[in-house]
Every structure is written in C-alpha cells, then in structure tokens.
Amino acid sequence: MKLIRVKNYEEMSEKAAALLGETVAKKGDSVLGLATGSTPVGMYQRLADAHNAGKLNLSGVCGVNLDEYIGIGGDHELSYRYFMSKNFYSLFGFDESRAHIPNGLAADLPKECDRYDALIEKLGGIDLQVLGIGRNGHIGFNEPDEVFLKNTHIAELDEDTRAANARFFERPADVPSKALTMGIGAIMAAKEILLLVSGSEKAQALKDAMTGDIDPRLPASILQLHPNVTVIADEAALQK
Ligand code: F6R
C-alpha cells in the first residue's frame, strides 16, 4: 500500500481529485467505483470544477457506487443515489444513465445483488475504486464479520455504522438497518484503489488496516493484498 501523507481534508481532496483525474485523462471511458459519505465530497467538488473549467472530461466515464440503503428509493433525499446526484453528478451535468447504484427498493433483493455483479462484469470491471473507511474498518458496507463476502450482498449495518450515519437523519431510529453493498470481490478486482482517510476518529481503523492482521473483523485489512492501493490520509488520521 502506498501512503500519501497530507495535512488536512482540503489537501486530501485536492490530491485525490488529481489522481482520479490522471486515470480519466489516460482512459476517458474509465469505470469509476465511487463512495458516498463525507470523505469524498471535497474530491467530487474539485473534479466537477475541473470538468466545468475544461481541464478534465468526465463525460465518458461510468460511475458504479458501492452501496445503497435498503427501503429507500433513489429520489429520497437520504438515498445514496440522491447523494451522488447532489454532491457530484448535478455539479457538472453528468448523464446519469451512466451512473449505477444498487436499487434499495428492488422487490427481489438477492436478484438485485446478482444483477449488480453482472453489471460490473459487463462494464469490464472497475478501473479505479474510491473508498472511505468506517470507524470499525468497514469498506462499502462490508461490515466486520467472520468471513469476507465476495459478492454484492445484503448487509446488516453495525450499531457503530448506524450511529456514525445518524447525523444525516432526523432521528437516529430512522437510519436504515440494512443496505446493499458491493462485495470484497469486485473491490479487490479493481485495477486501482484510492483509499481516502481524514480525521482522528478513523486513525485506529487506518492503522489496523495498514499494519494489522488481514482479518474479516477489520474488512479494510484485505486491501493489504491488493497490488495497487494508494492511501491518502491526513495528519489527524495518521496520529496512531
Ligand atoms: C459509503 C461507504 C462507506 C463510507 C464510510 C466512511 O458509500 O461505502 O464505507 O466510505 O462509512 O464514511 P464517511 O466518509 O462519511 O466518514
């Protein structure tokens, strides 16, 4: 794992946008694995600015998101589809038919998981996967478990994950308890992975992921086995 140390969130976002931009400059039709949450928002803003300034052309890429809550539709303001539209795609007028996110309202959820894996395969796999990390070491919604789950699956969200995400909801009880998430297989098959980490609350998880045992109880630790991972972490996240 290659580590890039940066001062703060702003620098992390700047560096991440520059690296992702390099990938897109080399391959205009890159398949980008994308994350939601607070971590990538600054990167998305910078990428959209670069596109709008004519310095980068994002119109040929495909977005494939990691996860979506179950029970919430794509037009619900707390859904991850809505999040992506608001924080990235609408900022540069992206054709959202090129943006893929699991459907949390699918009537047959196991079938939706299979559809999502087949879609990623049909797109030729992921060129660059952007990841954040949970305080408990989750990536996507691959939560601490006894095994690493390979395929897209239904995830039972940890109490810690629900507590961390409660900030987006009016009442903590409203945070969904289940989500659909890309599995470890598609993430690890990505040609390149960019793990973004900011803030002291992620420091222990980051240290364990980078230097601890490879253990499904700390899902991000599997990234040690990937040949092309770049971690961009700020001072607060590197304090352990
Ligand atoms: C989101 C996702 C999650 C987040 C993680 C960190 O699509 O897959 O793994 O990356 O929960 O969230 P933030 O960035 O809000 O701290």
Side-chain angles (χ1 to χ4, degrees):
M1 287 163 112
K2 179 179 163 202
L3 173 66
I4 299 179
R5 295 166 185 270
V6 292
K7 206 168 177 43
N8 52 29
Y9 181 84
E10 300 306 316
E11 252 188 56
M12 178 196 73
S13 306
E14 195 74 46
K15 189 77 203 161
L19 290 183
L20 193 146
E22 276 175 27
T23 297
V24 174
K26 275 188 232 142
K27 185 171 184 256
D29 60 352
S30 286
V31 177
L32 303 175
L34 299 174
T36 56
S38 307
T39 307
V41 169
M43 176 191 74
Y44 289 146
Q45 179 69 57
R46 283 164 177 78
L47 286 168
D49 289 349
H51 177 96
N52 292 333
K55 294 179 184 152
L56 179 69
N57 185 359
L58 290 166
S59 13
V61 306
C62 268
V64 183
N65 263 75
L66 284 163
D67 38 25
E68 179 60 282
Y69 289 123
I70 289 176
I72 289 187
D75 50 358
H76 190 290
E77 58 178 17
L78 293 168
S79 73
Y80 282 173
R81 178 170 284 283
Y82 191 94
F83 176 100
M84 287 307 292
S85 190
K86 178 172 167 219
N87 291 291
F88 192 29
Y89 299 138
S90 68
L91 306 184
F92 65 102
F94 189 55
D95 167 8
E96 294 198 28
S97 68
R98 306 180 70 81
H100 307 282
I101 302 188
N103 176 9
L105 280 186
D108 186 337
L109 292 169
K111 202 166 153 197
E112 173 62 5
C113 293
D114 292 345
R115 182 196 70 83
Y116 207 62
D117 283 333
L119 169 84
I120 295 169
E121 207 179 308
K122 196 168 153 218
L123 291 171
I126 294 165
D127 290 301
L128 174 69
Q129 176 66 57
V130 176
L131 294 175
I133 187 172
R135 300 187 295 212
N136 63 2
H138 72 215
I139 47 177
F141 277 137
N142 291 276
E143 295 283 38
D145 201 342
E146 294 307 309
V147 289
F148 291 107
L149 294 175
K150 182 176 165 195
N151 295 329
T152 298
H153 58 274
I154 297 170
E156 215 46 81
L157 301 188
D158 253 33
E159 272 321 303
D160 187 64
T161 301
R162 294 186 72 221
N165 290 359
R167 66 191 192 278
F168 299 112
F169 291 79
E170 209 165 291
R171 290 168 306 179
D174 293 341
V175 186
S177 57
K178 289 183 182 172
L180 294 175
T181 183
M182 202 188 277
I184 293 295
I187 294 173
M188 288 297 282
K191 294 187 187 82
E192 193 182 344
I193 294 179
L194 211 50
L195 173 63
L196 310 183
V197 197
S198 172
S200 57
E201 59 169 16
K202 306 289 180 65
Q204 191 63 50
L206 177 60
K207 183 177 179 221
D208 294 344
M210 290 188 72
T211 62
D213 286 336
I214 296 165
D215 187 328
R217 287 170 293 183
L218 202 295
S221 62
I222 192 81
L223 299 174
Q224 291 178 42
L225 295 180
H226 192 283
N228 193 4
V229 178
T230 302
V231 181
I232 309 178
D234 67 11
E235 279 171 8
L238 287 167
Q239 67 185 222
K240 291 275 179 190

